[in-house]
Amino acid sequence: MVLKIDRRRLVLAGGLGAAAFLSPLGRALAAEVLGATGFTHGVASGEPGADSMLLWTRYVPAAGESTPTLQVEVAQDPNFAKVVAGGVVRTGAYRDWTAKITVDGLKPGAIHWYRFIAPNGDKSPVGRTKTLPLGPVDRFNLAVFSCANLPVGWFNAYGHAAARDDLDLWLHTGDYIYEYGVASTRDSDWADGRKAMLQPVTEILSLADYRLRYACYRADPDLQRLHQMAPMVGFWDDHESANDSWEGGAQNHQAATEGDWGVRKAAAMQVYREWMPVSEEPWKAYQIGALATLYRTESRLLGRTQQISMGAAFKAENPDAALKAFRDGPWRDPSATMLGSTQESWLNHALKSNKGWQMVGMGTILGRTVMPKDAVDWLRPDATEKSLNSFRDNVRAARAGLPMWMDRWDGYPAARSRLLKAAQGADADLVMLSGDSHNAWAYGLVEDGRPAGVEFAGHSVTSNGMERTFASDPKAVAAGFMAANPEMKWADTSQRGYMMLRITPQRVTGEWLFMQTIKARSLAVAGSHRMTVERGRKVFAG
């Protein structure tokens, strides 16, 4: 059976609040996720090549088979009149019944249809995928997603994208799931029907926890449909493991009560690779004919050094002097890295070797961002003293030229400089595609006073943005951020959705689409905003 949870039942369970997990309805929903058999979570594809594709499914046998073997068929029509490729793949409980296989011999730049066949003859849903093109390419359309927190909203952005017929590939820049438990979401933030879908109810720590959380997310019908309709290039950010993670730990991991970080990190990485249509390669380049190269990077768990903190400077006898010392010393440490030296070297060489648009997918934003001086005045009237002090500190840091977010590339200025100089040295038409912040931004990236490329920074699928923090008009907030940050060319701090990139030899046009709501299932769009970069210019047009 394909796991499909009826929305009416979810709404009923969600209305019960925390009691949903103790009620017969809540227990039934949990049992349905854990006890489903057959092809439980649809199909997915990823790691696209010109003649190959990685295909994914999950198959749980009803009884008796510990390592079932699945047949795979690929055709150029949805009726499978002519099967052009295929293979066999084995699965089992040791990998949570997920199965992945890379199929070769496909036609470049073409739509293919695929399915899995169980030992008993049952068939999976039919998936649609598309290989990458070869040679000259007139147009390629890419959708970009990030930050899909299931409790706070429905995945309408996924549903809207999946219903389109003009998109070639999905890119997910991370925070595909969130690790938090039920208690971490305010009662007022829950979307109707979502509470019943989140298991386990506590923060996820173990291998079993992570597997169950993915099973719940992947039960969402819009996410299943997204994976069914086109291939995805995906990589993790922090919430696939724990908030603000780095190689040796995370802000949301306390070793004294939650165990060894290495064990938790290994579990998070294993389950991501089980449940996502991704290979074991830590980073990779995808050639879109002669048009562009798309890069999948890893900037969280393998090479990132620990985030630096300027907290001590605010407590110093002379905070302004301490902030300047921090700015001129520890903050500029060249050993601080997001990617690690091996990946940095790989990306530098790749930028030199490839032609066309150089499109780098990244978990966090490169654009420089300091806190505007008026930000404290924008806060909601019920802001806590702790929140007020935090914003005041960030405004003070901005006067010293220090950023507001040390967890992103702003906190690693030497590494940021190395990346942008590498792009300039390669004369690359650099287009950064990033997520993480929950808000929509456009940056003109500058290094040594010269343009180095542009950045389309995507808003979240559901996760709360600055509208949760600020009471002021979002247009005034956006204007304040742009006035304080020369690299920032546009911003929206209050709407959820996804980005669409239209890539041609002459230009890349990015469009931020804003969903009308995330609190109920709806494909209605509230509006959009477009920006364009012309080939060879390295700055936004207009």
Side-chain angles (χ1 to χ4, degrees):
M1 62 178 274
V2 176
L3 185 60
K4 293 182 178 179
I5 299 177
D6 181 78
R7 182 178 181 273
R8 182 184 63 83
R9 293 167 60 215
L10 288 174
V11 171
L12 288 171
L16 297 175
F21 301 110
L22 304 177
S23 70
L25 178 56
R27 290 198 299 271
L29 288 168
E32 188 170 347
V33 171
L34 291 170
T37 60
F39 291 102
T40 64
H41 286 79
V43 294
S45 63
E47 303 295 355
D51 63 354
S52 65
M53 189 69 66
L54 183 150
L55 308 177
W56 179 99
T57 194
R58 184 172 187 265
Y59 176 77
V60 183
E65 295 177 278
S66 59
T67 54
T69 296
L70 307 176
Q71 302 288 326
V72 182
E73 293 182 341
V74 183
Q76 290 182 350
D77 68 287
N79 298 317
F80 291 83
K82 182 181 179 182
V83 175
V84 297
V88 292
V89 60
R90 187 183 303 176
T91 188
Y94 60 90
R95 56 172 301 108
D96 203 15
W97 305 103
T98 62
K100 294 192 291 189
I101 181 173
T102 297
V103 177
D104 292 315
L106 306 181
K107 183 179 178 181
I111 293 173
H112 294 77
W113 306 85
Y114 64 95
R115 65 188 178 190
F116 292 80
I117 303 173
N120 64 0
D122 287 349
K123 296 180 176 64
S124 72
V126 174
R128 175 187 181 277
T129 193
K130 190 174 183 180
T131 51
L132 297 180
L134 289 174
V137 180
D138 292 333
R139 180 182 296 273
F140 191 88
N141 294 334
L142 172 71
V144 183
F145 308 94
S146 68
C147 304
N149 192 0
L150 183 146
V152 302
W154 289 88
F155 295 159
N156 296 331
Y158 293 155
H160 187 273
R164 302 176 67 144
D165 61 4
D166 61 344
L167 292 169
D168 300 300
L169 180 66
W170 318 133
L171 175 68
H172 204 295
T173 65
D175 296 343
Y176 182 95
I177 67 160
Y178 278 68
E179 83 277 18
Y180 299 123
V182 169
S184 295
T185 300
R186 297 177 185 176
D187 289 341
S188 60
D189 283 343
W190 283 91
D192 285 346
R194 284 312 225 181
K195 189 168 286 189
M197 289 192 75
L198 195 70
Q199 292 282 347
V201 297
T202 56
E203 184 179 331
I204 53 176
L205 299 172
S206 69
L207 188 70
D209 291 343
Y210 282 96
R211 283 172 167 172
L212 180 54
R213 184 62 57 85
Y214 275 92
C216 290
Y217 269 68
R218 290 291 292 273
D220 179 90
D222 291 314
L223 181 51
Q224 284 196 20
R225 186 65 173 168
L226 185 83
H227 278 298
Q228 186 180 8
M229 295 307 294
M232 176 181 286
V233 169
F235 50 86
W236 58 59
D237 191 34
D238 54 341
H239 289 292
E240 288 87 351
S241 53
N243 184 57
D244 286 359
S245 53
W246 58 285
E247 184 181 12
Q251 175 275 330
N252 192 31
H253 181 81
Q254 291 71 47
T257 56
E258 296 175 330
D260 181 77
W261 168 247
V263 174
R264 183 178 184 181
K265 182 174 80 167
M269 292 170 61
Q270 176 179 330
V271 176
Y272 183 87
R273 287 170 172 160
E274 287 173 348
W275 276 85
M276 295 294 287
V278 298
S279 69
E280 306 299 303
E281 300 157 284
W283 45 80
K284 190 171 181 177
Y286 306 86
Q287 196 67 43
I288 305 171
L291 179 66
T293 306
L294 174 66
Y295 299 95
R296 168 168 62 82
T297 62
E298 197 291 320
S299 59
R300 274 293 171 188
L301 301 178
L302 302 182
R304 180 195 274 248
T305 53
Q306 187 172 14
Q307 301 89 334
I308 195 169
S309 172
M310 54 185 166
F314 298 123
K315 300 175 183 178
E317 184 176 348
N318 185 336
D320 291 329
L323 285 168
K324 291 178 181 177
F326 173 85
R327 177 198 64 198
D328 297 335
W331 181 56
R332 301 182 187 276
D333 184 353
S335 71
T337 176
M338 294 277 277
L339 304 178
S341 60
T342 300
Q343 189 179 183
E344 278 193 24
S345 176
W346 165 79
L347 186 56
N348 292 352
H349 283 87
L351 292 173
K352 293 177 183 177
S353 301
N354 292 311
K355 304 301 180 184
W357 295 101
Q358 304 292 287
M359 311 191 73
V360 181
M362 193 67 66
T364 54
I365 294 172
L366 264 81
R368 293 196 183 280
T369 314
V370 303
M371 186 69 77
K373 60 182 178 59
D374 297 327
V376 176
D377 299 330
W378 302 336
L379 292 171
R380 293 186 177 277
D382 60 354
T384 65
E385 190 63 26
K386 180 179 179 181
S387 181
L388 284 166
N389 288 334
S390 176
F391 275 83
R392 290 178 184 129
D393 285 345
N394 276 311
V395 170
R396 189 169 202 163
R399 292 200 297 265
L402 287 164
M404 53 189 278
W405 289 305
M406 289 294 178
D407 182 59
R408 48 191 257 182
W409 282 85
D410 265 342
Y412 301 74
R416 178 189 188 271
S417 179
R418 291 194 296 268
L419 191 160
L420 294 180
K421 285 181 178 178
Q424 290 174 329
D427 194 26
D429 280 296
L430 179 69
V431 178
M432 299 299 304
L433 305 173
S434 57
D436 184 63
S437 79
H438 305 176
N439 303 286
W441 318 90
Y443 293 90
L445 303 171
V446 175
E447 180 61 28
D448 288 338
R450 296 183 294 118
V454 300
E455 182 169 29
F456 294 92
H459 46 326
S460 64
V461 171
T462 63
S463 301
N464 292 313
M466 289 184 176
E467 75 279 4
R468 185 184 184 191
T469 303
F470 294 139
S472 296
D473 182 349
K475 292 182 180 178
V477 172
F481 267 97
M482 285 187 283
N485 293 282
E487 284 192 346
M488 190 182 296
K489 305 306 177 185
W490 174 81
D492 181 280
T493 63
S494 65
Q495 300 184 83
R496 315 277 69 82
Y498 69 102
M499 292 192 298
M500 177 178 172
L501 279 293
R502 295 178 177 87
I503 310 161
T504 70
Q506 297 79 29
R507 65 187 58 85
V508 172
T509 300
E511 182 178 19
W512 292 262
L513 291 106
F514 306 115
M515 305 310 297
Q516 206 168 83
T517 183
I518 60 170
K519 296 305 181 183
R521 286 192 72 191
S522 169
L523 301 187
V525 173
S528 67
H529 179 80
R530 291 184 181 182
M531 295 190 72
T532 297
V533 57
E534 301 286 344
R535 183 71 179 272
R537 297 295 305 278
K538 302 178 177 60
V539 297
F540 284 113

